[in-house]
Structures are given as structure tokens and as C-alpha cells.
Amino acid sequence: MWTVAVLIREGISLFEFGVTAEVFGIDRSEAGLPLVDYRVCSDGGPGRVESKHRPSVCVESTHGLEGLADADVVIVSATLPSTGNSAEHRAIREAHANGALVVSLCSGAFILAETGVLDGLSASTHWLFEDELARRFPLVDVVSANLFTDTGRVVTGAGTAAAIDTCLHVVRRELGAAAASTIAKRMVTAPLRHGGQQQFVDWPSRVDAAGADRGDTGLAETLDWAKARLGTNLDLAALAERSALSTRQLTRRFIAQVGTTPLKWVTHQRVQRAQELLENTDLSIDQIGHDVGYASATQLREHFRALVGTTPSAYRQSFNLGA
């Protein structure tokens, strides 16, 4: 029996809490996974805890804070930004001292930081809260934009959907890749993403709604054309010629409608395509680099690490289940 205890409090975010219930709170023993003693813990519980949503939805905790003490994994779920109370802090410190893997989701990092278990460690949170976390807890090295950060006995996850990546990572490191893959398939979620992958995409692949509302379809056609030809020369002149615009006009329109420059957008699309090929094929790194438009594997590695936070080889090892 594997024990996972989730700490909830007033102002709980239902999405992140729901992820913990989906990953750890379902009996999947028929698929070969171990049974999980899934505990929902709150100060003063068992009892009802109101969500941050309006109208509020209540979650019923199954345990008080004593449920954290002997857990294998303790998860501090997301809530309205709070540093928690002294009773919660003592319970988390005790669980950590007893050998539990301690995890925070999104704003739960503030509670972990207040306990001191993050002092001297790297940590992740939602990108909206990064500056505040760094300001309030200078002993914590806040890692910008990571999906999650694993420092050994503490794992901190970013916001909202990154809770899925964080919880599946915990399953992967504690129970193995096969268990994580089984749960991911049941959840109909994408292959596991590396913690260093960014929380959000800076360069969307299509014109935004505002651009579409203006009836400007020319740029969207250019983007589709470029995505189908990533292995060819896609310099500024080629994109401008396809768009029937000057290079200066094209750059202005890209920044206004896509949010970045044409060449940065092309780089992102090439790296994204490389990720797909690493996940789904056995092509060599050199061949993938060539297929997405780079003259050498070295160029691919440089851009890949800058955007994804890891090397193509390490990414393939993590996410190509057939490798």
C-alpha cells in the first residue's frame, strides 16, 4: 500500500486538487498498479473545505493533519496564495523528517517555503507568482517557467495543467515509467513532459483572434506554408516574399499578430517538430536536425536546449516510449 496525502485548505483550487484525485485516488490494481491509500487532509478535519471558485464548491477532507505524518508522498495542493498556518507547517516538517516526498502544486509552494523545507533549494510555481515567491523567500532559488522542479526529496510544480506533469513525474520516479504511462493513457493526456520544459509557449503557431477578426488571412496562410516546409530555407526574405510584404512590414505584422519576430517563430516551430520526431520516430538526431531545417545536430541541440531545457537525446529517453 502506497500512501499519498494531499493537504487542502480554504480557497482550494479544484483543478489541481482534481489532478491528485485522478492520478492517485483511483484503484488501478487491475492494470498492475499498486493500491494507494489516498488521504485528503485539512487542519481540523475531517470536514468541509470551500474552494476559491464562485459559487464555491466544497471538498470533504477524510483526515486531519495527522494523516500527513506517515505518508510516502505529501502534496500541498494549490489554493489562494497563502503561507498556511503553524499547525500545517509542523505537519509538513514532520512528514518531511519522516522521509516523505514533499510536493507542492502551483501556489502551494508558498506554504512549503514558509516551512523552511525549500531553503537553499530550487523551486517552481505558477509564472504569475514567481516574482512574489522570490521576493518573500530569498533563500529559495525560484526557477523561472519550469513545469516542475525535482530536488530529490522535494518536488515543486507550476500552475494549473502543470499539476498533471508534476503528479505523473512523481509516479514515474516512485513507481516507474510503465506505471506513469498507464495512468497517462487512462487520463488521455500527452506524453510526459520534462520538468525543464517551459510553462507556456511564447510563440503561438497561428494568428490570434484579433488578427483573424480583422480579416487578415494572409499571415495565417504564410504560417501554414512555413510549417509545411520547416526543412527548407525560411529566412526573413523567403517569408516576406511568400506574404507579398516587405521584410519590415512582415516583421511589424508578426509582432502585432503573433507576438514575436518571424525568425523566432520559425525557431519555435522547428524545435516543436523536432520534439514530435523524437517522441515518435527512431531517426537519428542528425537526421531530425536536417529534417527541421538545421545544418547540423549542433544547431538543433543549441536551440532545443534553449527552448525545452534539455538535450534532444535526454528528451527522447524520457518521452519516446518505444526507445
Side-chain angles (χ1 to χ4, degrees):
M1 182 72 73
W2 197 43
T3 302
V4 177
V6 182
L7 174 62
I8 64 173
R9 64 188 336 271
E10 294 299 313
I12 182 176
S13 173
L14 294 177
F15 185 94
E16 288 88 339
F17 171 71
V19 171
T20 72
E22 182 69 26
V23 173
F24 303 108
I26 294 178
D27 180 356
R28 293 192 171 94
S29 55
E30 88 289 346
L33 274 65
L35 288 171
V36 178
D37 178 7
Y38 175 70
R39 303 172 181 174
V40 181
C41 307
S42 65
D43 186 17
R48 289 188 174 185
V49 175
E50 287 194 4
S51 75
K52 71 177 184 179
H53 310 280
R54 292 293 177 267
S56 179
V57 176
C58 289
V59 175
E60 191 85 21
S61 64
T62 60
H63 294 71
L65 295 178
E66 75 282 350
L68 277 61
D70 62 344
D72 298 299
V73 179
V74 169
I75 301 175
V76 181
S77 196
T79 182
L80 291 172
S82 169
T83 55
N85 61 42
S86 58
E88 292 166 337
H89 301 156
R90 286 193 299 271
I92 293 169
R93 291 191 196 102
E94 180 182 355
H96 187 254
N98 289 341
L101 172 65
V102 179
V103 181
S104 67
L105 303 177
C106 192
S107 56
F110 285 84
I111 297 177
L112 282 196
E114 187 68 26
T115 69
V117 300
L118 290 181
D119 288 356
L121 300 179
S122 298
S124 295
T125 189
H126 194 293
W127 58 270
L128 282 172
F129 304 141
E130 288 174 356
D131 290 343
E132 183 182 358
L133 185 65
R135 177 181 57 80
R136 295 176 65 175
F137 300 99
L139 295 180
V140 179
D141 176 22
V142 180
V143 182
S144 179
N146 268 18
L147 289 176
F148 58 84
T149 298
D150 186 339
T151 60
R153 293 190 53 213
V154 181
V155 177
T156 48
T160 318
I164 299 172
D165 302 286
T166 306
C167 290
L168 288 176
H169 171 73
V170 170
V171 173
R172 188 183 186 91
R173 61 165 275 177
E174 297 298 307
L175 301 180
S181 178
T182 296
I183 296 174
K185 288 178 181 177
R186 296 294 179 92
M187 292 175 66
V188 197
T189 190
L192 301 181
R193 295 185 289 175
H194 190 276
Q197 190 164 335
Q198 294 188 7
Q199 289 182 39
F200 52 92
V201 177
D202 289 320
W203 309 297
S205 61
R206 283 188 174 273
V207 179
D208 61 17
D213 289 343
R214 289 193 295 268
D216 187 354
T217 60
L219 193 52
E221 291 173 355
T222 299
L223 299 185
D224 287 338
W225 174 84
K227 287 178 70 175
R229 294 164 177 79
L230 293 176
T232 66
N233 175 33
L234 292 176
D235 60 14
L236 189 58
L239 293 169
E241 181 179 357
R242 175 66 186 184
S243 304
L245 298 168
S246 70
T247 56
R248 182 174 297 181
Q249 289 173 322
L250 178 67
T251 300
R252 283 201 302 265
R253 195 166 296 183
F254 248 83
I255 292 172
Q257 297 183 20
V258 182
T260 189
T261 66
L263 296 185
K264 285 184 178 180
W265 179 85
V266 169
T267 296
H268 176 77
Q269 297 307 313
R270 284 174 167 161
V271 169
Q272 188 174 55
R273 178 56 180 156
Q275 287 179 281
E276 294 171 359
L277 293 173
L278 289 165
E279 292 171 8
N280 300 307
T281 76
D282 295 322
L283 294 173
S284 69
I285 305 299
D286 283 333
Q287 184 61 53
I288 290 174
H290 179 268
D291 288 352
V292 301
Y294 292 117
S296 67
T298 300
Q299 283 187 326
L300 172 61
R301 291 187 185 98
E302 177 184 348
H303 293 294
F304 198 94
R305 180 178 285 278
L307 289 180
V308 184
T310 188
T311 65
S313 296
Y315 184 89
R316 165 172 275 167
Q317 186 174 6
S318 296
F319 307 124
N320 188 327
L321 297 181

